[in-house]
Amino acid sequence: MNLADILQKYRDHIALKWAHRLHEEVSSGYARRPLEELLQTTSQASEANYAAMVRGDFSKVDAFIVKVCKLRLEGGFSLSEVQKAFEIYRTILIPILAKELTGDALLEALQSLNACLSRTIFAFSDYFLNMANAKLLEKQKKLDEDLQAAAGIQQCLLPQRQEKSRKDEDLEIEWKFTPSETIGGDIFNVIHLDEDHLGFYMIDVSGHGVPPALVTFSLSQTLQPHMGCTIRKKPGCTPDYEIVSPGEVLTALDLEYPWERFEKFLTVIYLIVDIHHGHLVYSNAAHPPPILLHADGTFELLEKGGTIIGLGGVLPFEEEDKAFSAGDKIIIYTDGVFEFTNDKGELFGEERFHALVKSLHGLDIGAMLDEIVRAIEGFAQGEKLRDDVSILGLEFKKRIPAA
C-alpha cells in the first residue's frame, strides 16, 4: 500500500476524527462551531493535502488557505488556534502511516506530510497576518476619521474668529489651543450674556482622548445661555432675565457633574466681564489661577473659589470682584502650559510661566500669546507635550467715540 492508497482508504476516518478533535480540544471558538461545518472544512483540507502530498499540487491548499483565513478571521479566531488545528492533522495521520508503512516508504510518506504541513502552516500564517493587519489598518483609518470629525466638533466649541460686534470694541480676545491627542480634555469659550456682559470659562477634564472630550462637550452645552445655567429667565420683569453669578454657576456644575457620574476631575474658571464699565467677577473651581496683568507689568492671580467640580458642595464657591483699566490683560490657561518637562527632565513650571507673562506685558494680546507658545515649544525642544495646552487672552481697550 502506498501513500495515495492510505489517504484514500482513511479519508473519511481522518476527516471525521479531525473534526471531532477540533470541536473538543482546540478552543472555545472551535467548540462553538457546528460539527457539520467543521467536518466539511476538514474534508476539504484533507483533499487539498492529498493533492499536495501525492501529486505535489498545492493549488487546492492555496485556495483552501484563502477560504479558511477569511472564515476564521471573521469568526474572531487567533492565529495560534488555527495553527494548532492544522497540527492535529499530523497527529492523526502519523499513527496511520506507521501502521501501514515501513522503511523507506514510511520515511518518504513522513517527509511528504512534513513538507505539506510546513508549506501550509507558513503560508496560512503569512496570509492570516496580512489579512489581520489589513483589517486593523482599516479599523484604524475609520477610527482616525472619527477622531478627526470629533476634533472638528471640538473646534466648533471654541471661540470663533469672527468679526467682533460693536459691543466687543472695548475688548480684544485671542486664544491658542493645542490638544496633546487629536481631541483633548480642555474646553473654553466666550458667552454673550447681554449688551454689557460677557462670560468666559475654561474647563480642564482629567485624561486625554475621547472620554474627557465627551465630558467637555456636555459641559459646553450646559453653559450655553439657553440652558438656564448662566442666564436665568424672569418672565414679566424688566429685563426679563438675570445673569447667574459665577459662584452659582460653579455650584450648579458641582451638582450636575458628581465624581461618581464620570470619574473625572473637573477644574473650572468662570468670569463675568462688564466690558463697558471696567469690572469683572469670577469664581475658581481649583483651576490654575488666571493672571490679571496690569498695563504697568504688575499682576494678580485670580484664586478665589473652591474645590474641584464634583465633590458635592463640600465647600462654597467664593467670588471676587476686580476692576480693570485700559491696557490691562487677563490670561486664562490650563496647567498644560507649565506642567511639562524638556528632554533634560527640567520642569517649565508656574514661576517661569508667570515671569514670561510679566516680561511680555508691553505686547498686544495676540502677540503675547504667540510668544508664550513659542517659548513653550522652545523649552520642550521637540518633546511631545503630555497635556493639552489652552490659553485664552483678553485685553481691555478704551472705546474711541464715533466722530
Side-chain angles (χ1 to χ4, degrees):
M1 193 178 264
N2 58 29
L3 178 60
D5 294 336
I6 293 170
L7 293 179
Q8 287 286 6
K9 175 182 177 181
Y10 290 96
R11 181 187 61 186
D12 294 340
H13 167 78
I14 292 171
L16 183 60
K17 189 170 183 179
W18 194 1
H20 276 287
R21 289 186 59 183
L22 288 177
H23 197 261
E24 296 168 3
E25 298 178 15
V26 177
S27 67
S28 59
Y30 278 103
R32 288 192 295 268
R33 305 312 304 169
L35 185 60
E36 295 77 10
E37 176 197 297
L38 295 177
L39 179 57
Q40 183 179 18
T41 302
T42 56
S43 296
Q44 292 173 356
S46 296
E47 289 181 13
N49 289 345
Y50 176 90
M53 293 166 63
V54 174
R55 298 195 297 270
D57 178 7
F58 281 88
S59 60
K60 289 187 176 181
V61 167
D62 293 338
F64 176 77
I65 287 172
V66 173
K67 177 182 177 180
V68 81
C69 268
K70 187 172 187 299
L71 182 67
R72 297 301 176 230
L73 188 63
E74 291 179 351
F77 286 73
S78 69
L79 176 59
S80 61
E81 286 178 85
V82 187
Q83 288 173 329
K84 185 177 179 180
F86 278 121
E87 282 294 339
I88 287 177
Y89 179 77
R90 190 196 310 269
T91 64
I92 294 172
L93 185 55
I94 286 178
I96 296 173
L97 295 178
K99 174 185 173 183
E100 298 288 352
L101 299 172
T102 59
D104 291 342
L106 175 59
L107 180 60
E108 290 177 6
L110 291 175
Q111 289 174 337
S112 296
L113 171 62
N114 289 334
C116 175
L117 285 183
S118 294
R119 159 75 185 269
T120 300
I121 291 174
F122 278 121
F124 176 85
S125 299
D126 288 343
Y127 200 88
F128 188 93
L129 288 173
N130 288 337
M131 286 183 64
N133 287 337
K135 195 170 183 179
L136 286 175
L137 288 172
E138 185 62 31
K139 286 183 178 179
Q140 185 62 51
K141 180 182 176 183
K142 179 66 168 59
L143 178 60
D144 289 342
E145 290 172 352
D146 290 345
L147 288 175
Q148 290 295 338
I153 294 171
Q154 189 173 49
Q155 288 288 332
C156 292
L157 302 178
L158 301 174
Q160 299 303 297
R161 298 189 186 280
Q162 56 192 8
E163 184 179 355
K164 296 180 176 65
S165 61
R166 287 192 60 83
K167 67 180 179 180
D168 294 340
E169 289 176 358
D170 287 341
L171 187 66
E172 184 177 350
I173 303 168
E174 295 290 341
W175 56 270
K176 299 289 184 182
F177 175 60
T178 306
S180 59
E181 305 290 345
T182 305
I183 54 177
D186 290 2
I187 198 72
F188 54 90
N189 212 337
V190 183
I191 308 171
H192 290 262
L193 300 172
D194 65 13
E195 290 301 311
D196 292 321
H197 298 90
L198 292 176
F200 296 87
Y201 66 81
M202 183 170 285
I203 301 166
D204 187 359
V205 180
S206 62
H208 312 291
V210 174
L214 292 174
V215 178
T216 63
F217 179 80
S218 174
L219 284 159
S220 68
Q221 297 308 298
T222 299
L223 291 169
Q224 291 297 311
H226 66 274
M227 297 297 290
C229 183
T230 52
I231 293 181
R232 187 180 294 126
K233 297 287 187 182
K234 297 184 71 176
C237 298
T238 304
D240 62 352
Y241 65 91
E242 177 185 15
I243 295 175
V244 181
S245 70
E248 288 185 82
V249 169
L250 296 189
T251 299
L253 294 180
D254 190 55
L255 295 174
E256 183 68 20
Y257 293 87
W259 162 258
E260 297 81 6
R261 183 179 178 190
F262 298 105
E263 295 187 352
K264 296 288 181 186
F265 292 110
L266 314 179
T267 68
V268 182
I269 179 71
Y270 181 57
L271 305 88
I272 297 175
V273 175
D274 185 334
I275 57 178
H276 294 154
H277 301 97
H279 173 264
L280 68 87
V281 59
Y282 76 91
S283 187
N284 189 337
H287 197 82
I291 299 172
L292 174 54
L293 181 66
H294 297 293
D296 62 2
T298 61
F299 69 83
E300 305 172 60
L301 299 179
L302 306 184
E303 299 178 291
K304 278 293 186 195
T307 63
I308 61 173
I309 296 297
L311 298 186
V314 294
L315 289 173
F317 292 99
E318 297 180 290
E319 298 179 352
E320 186 175 32
D321 297 310
K322 289 288 180 182
F324 55 83
S325 305
D328 289 351
K329 303 177 182 73
I330 293 179
I331 310 297
I332 308 171
Y333 51 93
T334 57
D335 56 15
V337 303
F338 57 81
E339 286 190 352
F340 65 93
T341 56
N342 60 17
D343 58 355
K344 299 176 183 176
E346 298 171 328
L347 180 69
F348 191 78
E350 278 187 279
E351 186 176 337
R352 194 191 307 263
F353 176 65
H354 291 162
L356 172 64
V357 170
K358 186 175 181 179
S359 72
L360 300 173
H361 76 275
L363 300 178
D364 64 51
I365 193 64
M368 176 179 281
L369 296 197
D370 288 339
E371 288 301 317
I372 290 173
V373 171
R374 190 172 293 116
I376 289 172
E377 292 174 344
F379 185 85
Q381 296 179 338
E383 289 289 302
K384 186 180 186 301
L385 297 175
R386 293 175 296 178
D387 200 359
D388 307 327
V389 174
S390 300
I391 314 174
L392 176 61
L394 323 175
E395 182 173 357
F396 304 105
K397 297 179 177 290
K398 283 185 178 179
R399 179 184 292 278
I400 301 175

